[in-house]
């Protein structure tokens, strides 16, 4: 009985990490599919409604999982709002269709469930290649990385783990060597006035060269998050673009900054040491890429940089309700409407209406909307119809090295 108690999470009544430690070496990976499920924006629920409400929601999600899975499936509370599910395989399903159906069912059940009027969604990382992993913990790590990709891609979705093949794999030691030897550059993608094609600014997008390919941060950023290498990487990107701006006297560039960058005093010091003439030509894009645990410091630091002279751009707007915190607390001039909204407007009336209201909302609060992921003429035509002035995406240009983008979109054509 004591051992059984040690295995059970006291809040939710499901298994805890102690149980995982006991089964990790005896689980037959050929008989299970690994799924990681995370409640979206759970910290915001705790901050808005209190931890008691958050605890009740965790209990209800655990109950919902138990009701919609079988006795032989193993449910473990893996982290605060993260659940590990080991789905028992009873049938031949090499393509994982059955496991995917289970994941879709769980997501739908969570969407349908409301706790005292609070809408809930979840993100899932699904590892259909569990049998290929060396051990259970490796299979879980693969599912967890895939869950993080689902959250970065807009949440409320399922991402499936795919084993990357050789030229795109990169190890931490290789990445460390690339960063420490400063083998990092940037490509640039213009943000345009969609009526006349003039450039509002050029967004800097980090690239590393690896095995004759240029890799974007999506390929490696998860590996270095939370490490000193991440700070060094950010510092290199800032310095790289300061040099570009010094050599191109009329160019305006935006830098992508995660919340953790704005919470790092060393990054703030670097940005506040930049000469004023350069500051006027830099926009800082606030990414919603991670949970924030210190909103007050985040707000204070961003507003300090705004007062210093930087233009602030709120990125990924429309992807989650943390946006409204940023809107009310951060003095941003521009709002980038998330690509997950823009991509769907030609064929989904709800997203069309959402964009229409977002555009009007931006105008009402004296912000300038920018449409991301403008990928087709259909999207372009709707943006014109709704009065969106600025856009960015493959319909205009893919990201390119500096000299190529300057030829295609000359600096002289900047607004």
């Amino acid at each position: 009985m004591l051992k059984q108690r040690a295995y059970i999470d006291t809040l939710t009544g499901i298994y805890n990490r102690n149980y995982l430690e006991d089964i990790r070496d005896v689980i037959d990976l050929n008989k299970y599919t690994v799924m990681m499920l995370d409640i979206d924006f759970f910290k915001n629920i705790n901050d808005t409604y209190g931890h008691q409400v958050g605890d009740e929601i965790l209990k209800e999600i655990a109950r919902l999982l138990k009701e919609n899975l079988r006795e032989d499936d193993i449910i473990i509370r893996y982290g605060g709002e993260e659940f590990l599910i080991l789905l028992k395989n009873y049938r031949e399903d090499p393509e994982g269709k059955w496991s995917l159906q289970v994941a879709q069912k769980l997501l739908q059940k969570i969407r349908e469930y409301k706790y005292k009027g609070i809408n809930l969604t979840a993100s899932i990382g699904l590892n259909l290649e569990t049998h290929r992993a060396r051990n259970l913990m490796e299979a879980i790590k693969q599912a967890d990385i895939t869950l993080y990709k689902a959250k970065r891609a807009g949440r409320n979705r399922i991402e499936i783990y795919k084993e990357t093949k050789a030229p795109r794999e990169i190890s931490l030691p290789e990445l460390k060597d690339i960063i420490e030897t400063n083998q990092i550059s940037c490509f640039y993608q213009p943000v345009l006035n969609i009526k006349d094609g003039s450039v509002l600014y050029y967004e800097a997008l980090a690239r590393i060269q690896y095995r004759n390919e240029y890799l974007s941060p999506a390929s490696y950023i998860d590996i270095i998050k939370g490490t000193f290498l991440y700070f060094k990487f950010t510092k290199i990107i800032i310095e790289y673009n300061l040099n570009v701006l010094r050599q191109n006297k009329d160019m305006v560039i935006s830098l992508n900054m995660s919340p953790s960058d704005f919470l790092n005093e060393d990054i703030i010091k670097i940005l506040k040491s930049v000469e004023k003439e350069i500051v006027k030509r830099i926009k800082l894009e606030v990414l919603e890429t991670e949970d924030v645990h210190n909103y007050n410091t985040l707000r204070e630091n961003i507003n300090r940089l705004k007062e210093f002279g930087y233009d602030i751009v709120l990125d990924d707007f429309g992807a989650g309700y943390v946006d409204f915190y940023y809107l009310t607390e951060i003095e941003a001039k521009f709002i980038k409407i998330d690509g997950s909204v823009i991509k769907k407007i030609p064929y989904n009336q709800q997203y069309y209406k959402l964009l229409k209201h977002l555009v009007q909302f931006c105008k009402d609060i004296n912000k300038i909307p920018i449409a991301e992921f403008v990928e087709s003429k259909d999207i372009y035509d709707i943006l014109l119809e709704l009065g969106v002035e600025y856009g960015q995406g493959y319909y205009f240009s893919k990201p390119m090295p500096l000299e190529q983008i300057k030829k295609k979109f000359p600096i002289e054509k900047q607004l």
Side-chain angles (χ1 to χ4, degrees):
M1 283 177 64
L2 287 173
K3 195 168 185 180
Q4 190 174 12
R5 283 182 192 171
Y7 286 154
I8 301 299
D9 176 60
T10 53
L11 177 66
T12 59
I14 59 177
Y15 289 121
N16 59 24
R17 293 284 285 267
N18 293 334
Y19 183 68
L20 176 61
E21 286 300 314
D22 261 22
I23 66 170
R24 57 183 287 179
D25 296 323
V26 296
I27 282 282
D28 184 348
L29 296 180
N30 292 304
K31 293 182 179 177
Y32 286 91
T33 297
V34 175
M35 181 192 303
M36 298 296 293
L37 183 148
D38 184 272
I39 304 169
D40 294 332
F41 301 110
F42 186 73
K43 183 180 184 302
N44 299 79
I45 293 172
N46 273 337
D47 291 346
T48 305
Y49 301 100
H51 286 271
Q52 187 174 350
V53 169
D55 286 349
E56 289 301 316
I57 287 173
L58 287 172
K59 287 193 280 190
E60 287 298 299
I61 294 296
R63 178 190 59 78
L64 187 150
L65 294 177
K66 284 192 284 189
E67 285 180 356
N68 288 279
L69 293 167
R70 303 155 306 174
E71 284 189 15
D72 287 343
D73 297 324
I74 299 170
I75 312 168
I76 296 170
R77 187 179 176 197
Y78 191 76
E81 69 274 18
E82 193 172 1
F83 296 86
L84 164 65
I85 299 163
L86 304 178
L87 291 176
K88 186 74 176 286
N89 300 327
Y90 280 108
R91 61 189 81 180
E92 283 295 319
D93 186 27
E95 295 178 0
K97 290 180 180 177
W98 176 79
S99 298
L100 181 57
Q101 287 171 2
V102 173
Q104 289 168 335
K105 175 186 172 184
L106 293 177
L107 273 200
Q108 189 57 36
K109 290 290 182 182
I110 291 171
R111 289 179 192 131
E112 291 169 357
Y113 174 77
K114 283 182 175 60
Y115 181 82
K116 295 184 177 178
I118 301 172
N119 292 318
L120 299 173
T121 62
S123 301
I124 288 178
L126 188 60
N127 186 355
L128 300 177
E129 300 179 0
T130 306
H131 59 284
R132 294 175 185 243
R134 288 173 296 178
N135 53 54
L136 177 60
M137 300 315 290
E138 182 181 81
I140 291 170
K141 183 180 179 183
Q142 291 165 347
D144 207 26
I145 289 171
T146 309
L147 168 64
Y148 188 80
K149 288 179 182 175
K151 293 173 76 169
R152 283 177 62 90
R155 299 176 171 85
N156 190 20
R157 63 195 294 129
I158 300 164
E159 287 285 333
I160 297 172
Y161 171 75
K162 290 186 176 65
E163 188 174 355
T164 49
K165 306 298 177 189
R168 298 193 69 82
E169 290 181 342
I170 186 165
S171 67
L172 183 57
E174 288 172 314
L175 196 51
K176 184 173 183 286
D177 182 62
I178 287 169
I179 293 171
E180 291 188 341
T181 55
N182 200 356
Q183 300 175 56
I184 300 170
S185 61
C186 284
F187 280 15
Y188 295 87
Q189 190 177 38
V191 174
L192 302 171
N193 181 310
I194 64 175
K195 285 185 179 177
D196 63 21
S198 56
V199 178
L200 179 63
Y201 63 85
Y202 304 83
E203 181 178 356
L205 299 161
R207 295 291 185 268
I208 62 172
Q209 192 164 4
Y210 179 70
R211 296 187 185 177
N212 300 317
E213 282 190 88
Y214 282 103
L215 301 186
S216 72
S219 307
Y220 51 81
I221 206 71
D222 294 349
I223 303 172
I224 60 170
K225 273 282 186 183
T227 70
F228 181 73
L229 280 176
Y230 179 75
F231 162 71
K232 197 161 189 178
F233 175 78
T234 303
K235 183 172 179 281
I236 289 169
I237 296 300
I238 293 171
E239 290 172 347
Y240 182 97
N241 283 286
L242 291 178
N243 287 330
V244 169
L245 288 165
R246 289 177 186 127
Q247 293 164 19
N248 297 272
K249 300 297 184 183
D250 298 318
M251 195 170 188
V252 180
I253 286 175
S254 76
L255 303 175
N256 289 310
M257 308 284 288
S258 68
S260 58
D261 293 325
F262 290 109
L263 293 171
N264 187 321
E265 275 301 322
D266 290 324
I267 296 292
I268 301 298
K269 283 177 187 173
I270 292 169
L271 292 171
K272 291 195 76 175
S273 68
V274 176
E275 54 267 44
K276 288 285 189 173
E277 189 280 323
I278 299 291
V279 168
K280 288 189 294 185
R281 295 190 284 122
I282 296 177
K283 301 185 189 303
L284 302 177
E285 299 205 15
V286 186
L287 303 174
E288 190 188 322
T289 58
E290 58 203 21
D291 292 334
V292 178
H293 301 289
N294 194 340
Y295 279 107
N296 289 336
T297 305
L298 177 71
R299 179 194 67 227
E300 288 166 8
N301 286 351
I302 292 175
N303 288 336
R304 275 166 60 198
L305 293 168
K306 173 78 167 59
E307 289 169 12
F308 191 72
Y310 289 99
D311 273 344
I312 305 298
V313 181
L314 294 184
D315 205 355
D316 307 322
F317 187 77
Y321 56 74
V322 73
D323 301 327
F324 292 96
Y325 173 85
Y326 287 146
L327 270 185
T328 55
E329 300 292 336
I330 293 170
E331 296 179 34
K333 184 174 180 180
F334 300 92
I335 294 176
K336 269 191 171 179
I337 299 173
D338 190 66
S340 63
V341 175
I342 300 299
K343 287 193 288 188
K344 294 170 184 170
I345 57 175
Y347 57 85
N348 188 310
Q349 199 61 19
Q350 286 182 319
Y351 281 91
Y352 173 88
K353 290 177 181 176
L354 174 60
L355 177 61
K356 185 176 180 180
H357 288 297
L358 285 176
V359 171
Q360 187 58 51
F361 178 64
C362 288
K363 291 177 180 176
D364 289 345
I365 61 172
N366 202 27
K367 312 285 185 187
I368 300 172
I370 298 170
E372 292 187 295
F373 285 76
V374 184
E375 296 178 342
S376 68
K377 189 170 188 308
D378 289 342
I379 293 174
Y380 171 79
D381 290 340
I382 293 171
L383 296 178
L384 283 176
E385 174 198 332
L386 295 180
V388 179
E389 197 173 351
Y390 299 105
Q392 175 183 17
Y394 275 43
Y395 180 69
F396 306 116
S397 173
K398 65 180 182 180
M400 295 179 181
L402 179 63
E403 293 310 313
Q404 289 182 32
I405 209 72
K406 280 166 60 180
K407 280 182 184 176
K408 188 172 181 182
F409 298 94
I411 294 173
E412 294 74 26
K413 286 195 174 181
Q414 274 195 150
L415 291 171

